[in-house]
Amino acid sequence: MSVRPSRNRMEQPDNHVFVLFGATGDLAKRKILPGLFHLAVAGLLPERYRIIGSSRSKSALSVEQFRKNVYDAVLQYGVNEPSGPVWDVFEKSLDFGVVDSDGTGDLVQVVERAEKEIGGSVRRLFHLAVPPDAVLALIQMLGKTGLNENARIVCEKPFGTDLASAQELDGVIRSNFRESQVFRIDHFLGKESIDNILAFRFANGLFEPTWNRNYIRYVQIDVPETLSIEGRGAFFEETGTFRDMVVTHLFQVLGFIAMEEPTSFASKPLRDEVVKVFESTVPLDPSHVVFGQYDGYLNESGVAPNSQTETFVALRAEVENTRWKGVPFYLRTGKCLAESRRVVTIGFHEPVMRLFPLGNNARHHRGNEIVVDFSDPGSIHVHFLAKLPGPQMRLGPAEMTFRYGDSFQSTEHLEAYERLMLEAMLGNQTLFTRSDSIEKLWELAAPVLDEPPPVERYAQGSWGPFSMNDIVTPDRWSLPR
C-alpha cells in the first residue's frame, strides 16, 4: 500500500489561491517560491491558481516588484529556468497583498479578486513563513476577516518553545481552524528517504521481523551540520539547537523509526502510531544530555556576550514498550561540526559466539549495522562480515549499498518542501505533525528545559564536546565512519 495514494494517482489539487505570508523572507526565496514553480513545471499545481505574496505595510511590494523577486528567486535557487509558456502562466498568477496585525490592508480584497478571476469553487491555502512572534496575530486576523473559510493553513516550526506556549498556540489555532485544516510542516518528513524507511521496513519480510529489542542493540539519529548560525543570532538565542532541531525534527524521525505497523498509511492511523511512540517514551533525563557551543558563537551578530545557548545536543532517549524496552535511541545534532550528514544507524546485537577469526582489516568493524542516509535522494547501507579471499577462514568488513538516485529515475523527484506543499493542497496530512504529538514532545523535553546541562565549548570542525561519548558508552557514534 502506498504511503501517498494521492501522489500515485497523480491527483491534481482543486483550484487554489495560495497566500504566502513572509513572501519577502529567506525561506520564501530559497524554498517556497522556487518549489511552487517546480510544481507548475511538473504539472502538479491546480488547473487554475493564484499565488499572492503578503507582508506588513512597512515592507510591502508592488505586484511588479514581487514578480521580479520571484523571478530572481527561481533563477538563483530553482531547478527550472523562469522562462517559456509555464513561466508566463506562473508569472501572471502572482499578486501581492498587504495585511497588518490589526487586519488592515488590502489582502482580503486581493484574495476575493483572485477567487473571482479563477471562478467556481476555490480553496484557500495560507502558508505562514513568518517569525514566531507574528503567528498568533496572523491566525487571529484570518479568523476575524473570514479568510479562514474553506481554507487550510501551513504553519512553520517552532510550534511553541515549551508546553505552555505550544498549548497557547494550539488554542488560538483551534479558535479559528479545525484540526483538519491545519498542516504543521516539518520538512524532514517530506523527504523521499523518510518514506523509504517505511518501505524498507514494512514492505520487506526480510527486515521487519528483526525490528525489535531481540535483534537491535541501539538506534542513532545523527544530523551534524558544518554551517554556523549564519547571521540568525537573535532567532537562535531564543530557541537553541535543542528546541530548533531535537524536539521537532529528530524526534519526528524517531517516531517513524519506532512506530508499530499502522492499519493503513492514511493520515490518521499512521499519525496515531507515531503518537503512541511518544506516549511510550520516557521523559528525558538531563544527565543523559550533553549541550555544546562552538568556539566563536559569542562573536556572532545578535548573540549575548555571556550566552549559554547551545549549538550542539547529544542525548539518549528510551522508548518503554514491548518492542523497544532496553534499546537506547541516541540523538545528535549541532552547528559547525566536521560534516553535514543526515543518518539513521540501526545497530544489531553481535552473535553469542564468534566462530571465525577476523582479518587485520576487520579491526575497525563496528558490527552489523543498517545505515540509512536520509539526505535527498538518500541511500541505505548494510554492514556485515564476509570471508576474505584466500585459503584461510578469516573475515573482513563488507557492505551492501542501495542508492536511490542510482536505482530509480528521478524525473518525478520533488524536494521536501515541494512535496509537502503539494500534499497540503491535496489535504493529505500524513506527513504533517499533529497537535497532541507536539504537546507530548514538549512534555518529554520539560526536564531538560527546567534543568539544562552545562554548555561545553567545542572547536569548529570537530564532532562536538568529548563528553558526548559518555552518552553512547559502551556503544560509539556511527559518524565518523
PDB file of all heavy atoms in Angstrom, residues 312-339:
ATOM      1  N   PHE A 312      24.835  22.656  20.023  1.00  0.00           N
ATOM      2  CA  PHE A 312      25.074  21.211  19.870  1.00  0.00           C
ATOM      3  C   PHE A 312      24.278  20.475  20.942  1.00  0.00           C
ATOM      4  O   PHE A 312      24.197  20.936  22.089  1.00  0.00           O
ATOM      5  CB  PHE A 312      26.564  20.899  20.036  1.00  0.00           C
ATOM      6  CG  PHE A 312      26.893  19.426  20.103  1.00  0.00           C
ATOM      7  CD1 PHE A 312      27.284  18.746  18.967  1.00  0.00           C
ATOM      8  CD2 PHE A 312      26.804  18.725  21.300  1.00  0.00           C
ATOM      9  CE1 PHE A 312      27.581  17.394  19.022  1.00  0.00           C
ATOM     10  CE2 PHE A 312      27.104  17.374  21.365  1.00  0.00           C
ATOM     11  CZ  PHE A 312      27.485  16.706  20.219  1.00  0.00           C
ATOM     12  N   VAL A 313      23.682  19.350  20.554  1.00  0.00           N
ATOM     13  CA  VAL A 313      22.983  18.493  21.514  1.00  0.00           C
ATOM     14  C   VAL A 313      23.272  17.035  21.176  1.00  0.00           C
ATOM     15  O   VAL A 313      23.218  16.627  20.007  1.00  0.00           O
ATOM     16  CB  VAL A 313      21.460  18.712  21.491  1.00  0.00           C
ATOM     17  CG1 VAL A 313      20.772  17.772  22.476  1.00  0.00           C
ATOM     18  CG2 VAL A 313      21.106  20.147  21.815  1.00  0.00           C
ATOM     19  N   ALA A 314      23.596  16.254  22.198  1.00  0.00           N
ATOM     20  CA  ALA A 314      23.636  14.788  22.095  1.00  0.00           C
ATOM     21  C   ALA A 314      22.854  14.255  23.276  1.00  0.00           C
ATOM     22  O   ALA A 314      22.988  14.755  24.396  1.00  0.00           O
ATOM     23  CB  ALA A 314      25.072  14.276  22.111  1.00  0.00           C
ATOM     24  N   LEU A 315      22.031  13.243  23.041  1.00  0.00           N
ATOM     25  CA  LEU A 315      21.225  12.716  24.135  1.00  0.00           C
ATOM     26  C   LEU A 315      20.872  11.260  23.912  1.00  0.00           C
ATOM     27  O   LEU A 315      21.001  10.726  22.803  1.00  0.00           O
ATOM     28  CB  LEU A 315      19.957  13.557  24.326  1.00  0.00           C
ATOM     29  CG  LEU A 315      18.928  13.614  23.191  1.00  0.00           C
ATOM     30  CD1 LEU A 315      17.967  12.420  23.233  1.00  0.00           C
ATOM     31  CD2 LEU A 315      18.129  14.916  23.271  1.00  0.00           C
ATOM     32  N   ARG A 316      20.418  10.662  25.001  1.00  0.00           N
ATOM     33  CA  ARG A 316      19.922   9.286  24.967  1.00  0.00           C
ATOM     34  C   ARG A 316      18.449   9.312  25.344  1.00  0.00           C
ATOM     35  O   ARG A 316      18.068   9.887  26.354  1.00  0.00           O
ATOM     36  CB  ARG A 316      20.697   8.420  25.953  1.00  0.00           C
ATOM     37  CG  ARG A 316      20.103   7.039  26.169  1.00  0.00           C
ATOM     38  CD  ARG A 316      20.941   6.222  27.133  1.00  0.00           C
ATOM     39  NE  ARG A 316      20.287   4.941  27.458  1.00  0.00           N
ATOM     40  CZ  ARG A 316      20.939   3.849  27.799  1.00  0.00           C
ATOM     41  NH1 ARG A 316      22.263   3.865  27.878  1.00  0.00           N
ATOM     42  NH2 ARG A 316      20.286   2.749  28.078  1.00  0.00           N
ATOM     43  N   ALA A 317      17.611   8.705  24.503  1.00  0.00           N
ATOM     44  CA  ALA A 317      16.177   8.591  24.768  1.00  0.00           C
ATOM     45  C   ALA A 317      15.813   7.117  24.879  1.00  0.00           C
ATOM     46  O   ALA A 317      16.490   6.246  24.316  1.00  0.00           O
ATOM     47  CB  ALA A 317      15.372   9.256  23.661  1.00  0.00           C
ATOM     48  N   GLU A 318      14.728   6.838  25.605  1.00  0.00           N
ATOM     49  CA  GLU A 318      14.301   5.457  25.832  1.00  0.00           C
ATOM     50  C   GLU A 318      12.812   5.329  25.557  1.00  0.00           C
ATOM     51  O   GLU A 318      12.008   6.110  26.068  1.00  0.00           O
ATOM     52  CB  GLU A 318      14.609   5.041  27.278  1.00  0.00           C
ATOM     53  CG  GLU A 318      16.084   5.094  27.617  1.00  0.00           C
ATOM     54  CD  GLU A 318      16.356   4.812  29.083  1.00  0.00           C
ATOM     55  OE1 GLU A 318      15.382   4.542  29.821  1.00  0.00           O
ATOM     56  OE2 GLU A 318      17.529   4.878  29.492  1.00  0.00           O
ATOM     57  N   VAL A 319      12.463   4.344  24.756  1.00  0.00           N
ATOM     58  CA  VAL A 319      11.067   4.040  24.447  1.00  0.00           C
ATOM     59  C   VAL A 319      10.681   2.795  25.242  1.00  0.00           C
ATOM     60  O   VAL A 319      11.181   1.699  24.983  1.00  0.00           O
ATOM     61  CB  VAL A 319      10.867   3.809  22.935  1.00  0.00           C
ATOM     62  CG1 VAL A 319       9.402   3.489  22.625  1.00  0.00           C
ATOM     63  CG2 VAL A 319      11.321   5.029  22.140  1.00  0.00           C
ATOM     64  N   GLU A 320       9.805   2.983  26.210  1.00  0.00           N
ATOM     65  CA  GLU A 320       9.448   1.898  27.134  1.00  0.00           C
ATOM     66  C   GLU A 320       8.194   1.180  26.653  1.00  0.00           C
ATOM     67  O   GLU A 320       7.095   1.399  27.161  1.00  0.00           O
ATOM     68  CB  GLU A 320       9.231   2.461  28.544  1.00  0.00           C
ATOM     69  CG  GLU A 320      10.492   2.976  29.202  1.00  0.00           C
ATOM     70  CD  GLU A 320      11.333   1.845  29.808  1.00  0.00           C
ATOM     71  OE1 GLU A 320      10.891   0.681  29.757  1.00  0.00           O
ATOM     72  OE2 GLU A 320      12.426   2.140  30.324  1.00  0.00           O
ATOM     73  N   ASN A 321       8.358   0.323  25.661  1.00  0.00           N
ATOM     74  CA  ASN A 321       7.274  -0.570  25.266  1.00  0.00           C
ATOM     75  C   ASN A 321       7.856  -1.942  24.953  1.00  0.00           C
ATOM     76  O   ASN A 321       9.080  -2.144  25.030  1.00  0.00           O
ATOM     77  CB  ASN A 321       6.459  -0.010  24.087  1.00  0.00           C
ATOM     78  CG  ASN A 321       7.300   0.225  22.834  1.00  0.00           C
ATOM     79  OD1 ASN A 321       8.382  -0.348  22.667  1.00  0.00           O
ATOM     80  ND2 ASN A 321       6.813   1.066  21.938  1.00  0.00           N
ATOM     81  N   THR A 322       7.005  -2.887  24.610  1.00  0.00           N
ATOM     82  CA  THR A 322       7.455  -4.269  24.423  1.00  0.00           C
ATOM     83  C   THR A 322       8.490  -4.383  23.319  1.00  0.00           C
ATOM     84  O   THR A 322       9.439  -5.157  23.417  1.00  0.00           O
ATOM     85  CB  THR A 322       6.251  -5.174  24.110  1.00  0.00           C
ATOM     86  OG1 THR A 322       5.295  -5.064  25.165  1.00  0.00           O
ATOM     87  CG2 THR A 322       6.688  -6.614  23.963  1.00  0.00           C
ATOM     88  N   ARG A 323       8.336  -3.601  22.259  1.00  0.00           N
ATOM     89  CA  ARG A 323       9.249  -3.707  21.119  1.00  0.00           C
ATOM     90  C   ARG A 323      10.629  -3.144  21.438  1.00  0.00           C
ATOM     91  O   ARG A 323      11.647  -3.688  21.005  1.00  0.00           O
ATOM     92  CB  ARG A 323       8.661  -2.981  19.911  1.00  0.00           C
ATOM     93  CG  ARG A 323       9.553  -3.061  18.661  1.00  0.00           C
ATOM     94  CD  ARG A 323       8.932  -2.316  17.494  1.00  0.00           C
ATOM     95  NE  ARG A 323       7.726  -2.962  17.018  1.00  0.00           N
ATOM     96  CZ  ARG A 323       7.696  -3.918  16.088  1.00  0.00           C
ATOM     97  NH1 ARG A 323       8.820  -4.358  15.547  1.00  0.00           N
ATOM     98  NH2 ARG A 323       6.560  -4.435  15.696  1.00  0.00           N
ATOM     99  N   TRP A 324      10.699  -2.043  22.212  1.00  0.00           N
ATOM    100  CA  TRP A 324      11.936  -1.287  22.305  1.00  0.00           C
ATOM    101  C   TRP A 324      12.555  -1.198  23.697  1.00  0.00           C
ATOM    102  O   TRP A 324      13.622  -0.597  23.836  1.00  0.00           O
ATOM    103  CB  TRP A 324      11.710   0.140  21.789  1.00  0.00           C
ATOM    104  CG  TRP A 324      11.377   0.197  20.337  1.00  0.00           C
ATOM    105  CD1 TRP A 324      10.171   0.524  19.795  1.00  0.00           C
ATOM    106  CD2 TRP A 324      12.240  -0.102  19.233  1.00  0.00           C
ATOM    107  NE1 TRP A 324      10.237   0.458  18.414  1.00  0.00           N
ATOM    108  CE2 TRP A 324      11.495   0.085  18.053  1.00  0.00           C
ATOM    109  CE3 TRP A 324      13.578  -0.502  19.131  1.00  0.00           C
ATOM    110  CZ2 TRP A 324      12.037  -0.114  16.794  1.00  0.00           C
ATOM    111  CZ3 TRP A 324      14.120  -0.708  17.875  1.00  0.00           C
ATOM    112  CH2 TRP A 324      13.354  -0.520  16.723  1.00  0.00           C
ATOM    113  N   LYS A 325      11.947  -1.764  24.695  1.00  0.00           N
ATOM    114  CA  LYS A 325      12.471  -1.607  26.051  1.00  0.00           C
ATOM    115  C   LYS A 325      13.926  -2.075  26.130  1.00  0.00           C
ATOM    116  O   LYS A 325      14.269  -3.176  25.727  1.00  0.00           O
ATOM    117  CB  LYS A 325      11.626  -2.392  27.068  1.00  0.00           C
ATOM    118  CG  LYS A 325      12.077  -2.179  28.508  1.00  0.00           C
ATOM    119  CD  LYS A 325      11.134  -2.836  29.497  1.00  0.00           C
ATOM    120  CE  LYS A 325      11.638  -2.694  30.924  1.00  0.00           C
ATOM    121  NZ  LYS A 325      11.778  -1.295  31.344  1.00  0.00           N
ATOM    122  N   GLY A 326      14.787  -1.210  26.652  1.00  0.00           N
ATOM    123  CA  GLY A 326      16.204  -1.534  26.786  1.00  0.00           C
ATOM    124  C   GLY A 326      17.060  -1.126  25.609  1.00  0.00           C
ATOM    125  O   GLY A 326      18.286  -1.226  25.674  1.00  0.00           O
ATOM    126  N   VAL A 327      16.433  -0.652  24.514  1.00  0.00           N
ATOM    127  CA  VAL A 327      17.195  -0.214  23.338  1.00  0.00           C
ATOM    128  C   VAL A 327      17.393   1.299  23.425  1.00  0.00           C
ATOM    129  O   VAL A 327      16.419   2.056  23.406  1.00  0.00           O
ATOM    130  CB  VAL A 327      16.459  -0.571  22.036  1.00  0.00           C
ATOM    131  CG1 VAL A 327      17.247  -0.049  20.818  1.00  0.00           C
ATOM    132  CG2 VAL A 327      16.237  -2.068  21.930  1.00  0.00           C
ATOM    133  N   PRO A 328      18.628   1.790  23.525  1.00  0.00           N
ATOM    134  CA  PRO A 328      18.836   3.239  23.578  1.00  0.00           C
ATOM    135  C   PRO A 328      18.690   3.874  22.199  1.00  0.00           C
ATOM    136  O   PRO A 328      19.117   3.310  21.181  1.00  0.00           O
ATOM    137  CB  PRO A 328      20.271   3.365  24.086  1.00  0.00           C
ATOM    138  CG  PRO A 328      20.939   2.100  23.639  1.00  0.00           C
ATOM    139  CD  PRO A 328      19.888   1.032  23.663  1.00  0.00           C
ATOM    140  N   PHE A 329      18.070   5.046  22.173  1.00  0.00           N
ATOM    141  CA  PHE A 329      17.999   5.867  20.967  1.00  0.00           C
ATOM    142  C   PHE A 329      18.924   7.058  21.194  1.00  0.00           C
ATOM    143  O   PHE A 329      18.682   7.890  22.074  1.00  0.00           O
ATOM    144  CB  PHE A 329      16.565   6.330  20.710  1.00  0.00           C
ATOM    145  CG  PHE A 329      15.657   5.257  20.184  1.00  0.00           C
ATOM    146  CD1 PHE A 329      15.148   4.287  21.035  1.00  0.00           C
ATOM    147  CD2 PHE A 329      15.311   5.211  18.844  1.00  0.00           C
ATOM    148  CE1 PHE A 329      14.308   3.293  20.555  1.00  0.00           C
ATOM    149  CE2 PHE A 329      14.476   4.222  18.352  1.00  0.00           C
ATOM    150  CZ  PHE A 329      13.973   3.249  19.213  1.00  0.00           C
ATOM    151  N   TYR A 330      19.995   7.136  20.414  1.00  0.00           N
ATOM    152  CA  TYR A 330      20.978   8.209  20.543  1.00  0.00           C
ATOM    153  C   TYR A 330      20.699   9.270  19.485  1.00  0.00           C
ATOM    154  O   TYR A 330      20.662   8.966  18.287  1.00  0.00           O
ATOM    155  CB  TYR A 330      22.393   7.678  20.367  1.00  0.00           C
ATOM    156  CG  TYR A 330      22.775   6.561  21.306  1.00  0.00           C
ATOM    157  CD1 TYR A 330      23.186   5.319  20.825  1.00  0.00           C
ATOM    158  CD2 TYR A 330      22.746   6.739  22.687  1.00  0.00           C
ATOM    159  CE1 TYR A 330      23.561   4.293  21.676  1.00  0.00           C
ATOM    160  CE2 TYR A 330      23.111   5.730  23.554  1.00  0.00           C
ATOM    161  CZ  TYR A 330      23.508   4.501  23.044  1.00  0.00           C
ATOM    162  OH  TYR A 330      23.873   3.488  23.893  1.00  0.00           O
ATOM    163  N   LEU A 331      20.540  10.510  19.915  1.00  0.00           N
ATOM    164  CA  LEU A 331      20.272  11.619  19.008  1.00  0.00           C
ATOM    165  C   LEU A 331      21.401  12.637  19.121  1.00  0.00           C
ATOM    166  O   LEU A 331      21.839  12.958  20.232  1.00  0.00           O
ATOM    167  CB  LEU A 331      18.943  12.299  19.353  1.00  0.00           C
ATOM    168  CG  LEU A 331      17.640  11.644  18.871  1.00  0.00           C
ATOM    169  CD1 LEU A 331      17.483  10.223  19.393  1.00  0.00           C
ATOM    170  CD2 LEU A 331      16.434  12.480  19.296  1.00  0.00           C
ATOM    171  N   ARG A 332      21.869  13.131  17.971  1.00  0.00           N
ATOM    172  CA  ARG A 332      22.952  14.115  17.979  1.00  0.00           C
ATOM    173  C   ARG A 332      22.769  15.080  16.812  1.00  0.00           C
ATOM    174  O   ARG A 332      22.454  14.672  15.692  1.00  0.00           O
ATOM    175  CB  ARG A 332      24.316  13.431  17.864  1.00  0.00           C
ATOM    176  CG  ARG A 332      25.491  14.410  17.863  1.00  0.00           C
ATOM    177  CD  ARG A 332      26.844  13.703  17.853  1.00  0.00           C
ATOM    178  NE  ARG A 332      27.073  12.922  16.644  1.00  0.00           N
ATOM    179  CZ  ARG A 332      28.263  12.377  16.323  1.00  0.00           C
ATOM    180  NH1 ARG A 332      29.298  12.506  17.143  1.00  0.00           N
ATOM    181  NH2 ARG A 332      28.387  11.685  15.217  1.00  0.00           N
ATOM    182  N   THR A 333      22.966  16.369  17.092  1.00  0.00           N
ATOM    183  CA  THR A 333      22.941  17.377  16.037  1.00  0.00           C
ATOM    184  C   THR A 333      23.685  18.606  16.539  1.00  0.00           C
ATOM    185  O   THR A 333      23.816  18.827  17.741  1.00  0.00           O
ATOM    186  CB  THR A 333      21.501  17.750  15.650  1.00  0.00           C
ATOM    187  OG1 THR A 333      21.521  18.639  14.517  1.00  0.00           O
ATOM    188  CG2 THR A 333      20.761  18.410  16.790  1.00  0.00           C
ATOM    189  N   GLY A 334      24.181  19.417  15.609  1.00  0.00           N
ATOM    190  CA  GLY A 334      24.907  20.616  16.022  1.00  0.00           C
ATOM    191  C   GLY A 334      25.409  21.408  14.837  1.00  0.00           C
ATOM    192  O   GLY A 334      25.401  20.940  13.694  1.00  0.00           O
ATOM    193  N   LYS A 335      25.839  22.608  15.127  1.00  0.00           N
ATOM    194  CA  LYS A 335      26.380  23.523  14.126  1.00  0.00           C
ATOM    195  C   LYS A 335      27.905  23.478  14.145  1.00  0.00           C
ATOM    196  O   LYS A 335      28.532  23.147  15.149  1.00  0.00           O
ATOM    197  CB  LYS A 335      25.921  24.951  14.424  1.00  0.00           C
ATOM    198  CG  LYS A 335      24.411  25.150  14.394  1.00  0.00           C
ATOM    199  CD  LYS A 335      23.867  25.091  12.993  1.00  0.00           C
ATOM    200  CE  LYS A 335      22.402  25.456  12.960  1.00  0.00           C
ATOM    201  NZ  LYS A 335      21.840  25.350  11.586  1.00  0.00           N
ATOM    202  N   CYS A 336      28.500  23.856  13.003  1.00  0.00           N
ATOM    203  CA  CYS A 336      29.961  23.958  12.851  1.00  0.00           C
ATOM    204  C   CYS A 336      30.660  22.639  13.197  1.00  0.00           C
ATOM    205  O   CYS A 336      31.720  22.638  13.839  1.00  0.00           O
ATOM    206  CB  CYS A 336      30.517  25.091  13.717  1.00  0.00           C
ATOM    207  SG  CYS A 336      30.119  26.737  13.088  1.00  0.00           S
ATOM    208  N   LEU A 337      30.080  21.533  12.764  1.00  0.00           N
ATOM    209  CA  LEU A 337      30.686  20.230  13.012  1.00  0.00           C
ATOM    210  C   LEU A 337      31.479  19.773  11.787  1.00  0.00           C
ATOM    211  O   LEU A 337      31.572  20.479  10.793  1.00  0.00           O
ATOM    212  CB  LEU A 337      29.610  19.210  13.394  1.00  0.00           C
ATOM    213  CG  LEU A 337      28.857  19.533  14.693  1.00  0.00           C
ATOM    214  CD1 LEU A 337      27.779  18.494  14.970  1.00  0.00           C
ATOM    215  CD2 LEU A 337      29.812  19.614  15.879  1.00  0.00           C
ATOM    216  N   ALA A 338      32.050  18.592  11.870  1.00  0.00           N
ATOM    217  CA  ALA A 338      33.016  18.147  10.866  1.00  0.00           C
ATOM    218  C   ALA A 338      32.384  17.846   9.511  1.00  0.00           C
ATOM    219  O   ALA A 338      33.033  17.997   8.473  1.00  0.00           O
ATOM    220  CB  ALA A 338      33.747  16.906  11.379  1.00  0.00           C
ATOM    221  N   GLU A 339      31.140  17.400   9.493  1.00  0.00           N
ATOM    222  CA  GLU A 339      30.460  17.057   8.249  1.00  0.00           C
ATOM    223  C   GLU A 339      29.006  17.480   8.344  1.00  0.00           C
ATOM    224  O   GLU A 339      28.474  17.672   9.448  1.00  0.00           O
ATOM    225  CB  GLU A 339      30.514  15.544   7.975  1.00  0.00           C
ATOM    226  CG  GLU A 339      31.886  14.972   7.719  1.00  0.00           C
ATOM    227  CD  GLU A 339      31.825  13.479   7.431  1.00  0.00           C
ATOM    228  OE1 GLU A 339      30.814  13.016   6.852  1.00  0.00           O
ATOM    229  OE2 GLU A 339      32.769  12.766   7.800  1.00  0.00           O
TER     230      GLU A 339
END
